[in-house]
Amino acid sequence: MKGKSSALLVVIIMFVLALAFGKNTPLATTPTQTPVGLQAASSTVAGSSDASATTIHCINVGQGDAILIVSGGGAVLIDGGPQSAGSTVVEYLTRQGIAKLDAVIATHPHEDHIGGLIAVLQAFQVDALYMSDEGTDSDVYRKLLETISAQNLVPQFPDIGDTISFGNAGAVLTNLAPGPESADIFDASNPDGWSLVFRLDAADCSAMLAADATFGIEQFMLQQNEAQLNCDILKVAQHGAHQASCQAFIDAVSPSYAVISYGAGGSPSPEPEVYAYLEPFQTTISETATDGTVVYQLADGVVQLVS
């Protein structure tokens, strides 16, 4: 923590860790209960000339997830891949001209989603941090909490229906699941069951960013509001593994584009059923393991696969 003594830093870290690692104890006493608004500064993206442009970058981080969304001068990062990919994510953001991040979202505490965020939080100014309200007692999660404390960030824990607005082009992320106390609702022993799922609406287009959502979360979202699941783009859950992407959920999303983020030879990897469920929609499927970083451009109701 800049400008403060190491002793004070230790005290703060111990306090944060004590909150995080009590048995079935959320990271905060009360998750956010009202929509969370966030306004981007005009200098977020250096050199951004098209205020209406929205791009989604599914960064190739090997076996993991890292999604950068840039819209109207604002930028949000959802997950950061494994810790070994931290420098890759930092370098990619830098090449995109990112000067700061309006928000960082850690969907759930698995290493292949949060590990790279440690380097990101150390390298960039971050205006807001959103996390699942459940934590794990792992080395990488402890390192993440220490970094959060050192950067003077206060995590927020979004509830279902909470929104994050950023940029000046009207981009909005809406949290669809799982909400607070997810370990009590879903599988208490599996962090995938605590995975935040966001819908992005921008430029009259939409994307379902499913992180590592399980069958249980998918069924929950189907019961809550099936119509809200229909999107142009699907970030396939759990790297295409068999624990997610039930047919009813894929049918509800009915995406024109889908991206599966995973590493060659990694585990889990895409299952044949995922491709079979997407086939009726003639979905254009991209994979980071074979295609590298996948970029979509959203404009005037049209999605374009850039790379």
Side-chain angles (χ1 to χ4, degrees), residues 99-129:
K100 75 176 183 68
L101 291 162
D102 297 277
V104 166
I105 299 170
T107 60
H108 67 294
H110 269 155
E111 197 269 346
D112 61 333
H113 288 251
I114 64 168
L117 293 180
I118 296 169
V120 169
L121 295 179
Q122 292 170 341
F124 294 93
Q125 177 187 334
V126 174
D127 286 348
L129 176 70

Side-chain angles (χ1 to χ4, degrees), residues 60-143:
N60 181 16
V61 291
Q63 191 66 30
D65 272 17
I67 301 172
L68 171 68
I69 304 169
V70 179
S71 184
V76 171
L77 181 67
I78 301 178
D79 291 333
Q83 195 166 1
S84 60
S87 60
T88 298
V89 178
V90 169
E91 290 168 6
Y92 186 86
L93 268 59
T94 301
R95 289 199 305 271
Q96 297 305 309
I98 303 299
K100 75 176 183 68
L101 291 162
D102 297 277
V104 166
I105 299 170
T107 60
H108 67 294
H110 269 155
E111 197 269 346
D112 61 333
H113 288 251
I114 64 168
L117 293 180
I118 296 169
V120 169
L121 295 179
Q122 292 170 341
F124 294 93
Q125 177 187 334
V126 174
D127 286 348
L129 176 70
Y130 301 88
M131 304 178 71
S132 167
D133 74 331
E134 303 288 347
T136 60
D137 191 1
S138 68
D139 288 343
V140 68
Y141 193 67
R142 288 177 180 274
K143 289 180 182 178

Side-chain angles (χ1 to χ4, degrees), residues 39-49 51 71-75 97 99-100 102 127 167-168:
Q39 297 299 320
S42 59
S43 61
T44 299
V45 182
S48 178
S49 58
S71 184
K100 75 176 183 68
D102 297 277
D127 286 348
N168 54 22

Side-chain angles (χ1 to χ4, degrees), residues 2-40:
K2 298 178 180 178
K4 296 186 181 292
S5 69
S6 58
L8 179 57
L9 174 57
V10 170
V11 170
I12 294 174
I13 291 173
M14 290 178 64
F15 174 73
V16 174
L17 295 177
L19 286 176
F21 298 124
K23 184 176 180 181
N24 290 331
T25 302
L27 286 179
T29 52
T30 347
T32 307
Q33 297 296 325
T34 55
V36 181
L38 178 63
Q39 297 299 320

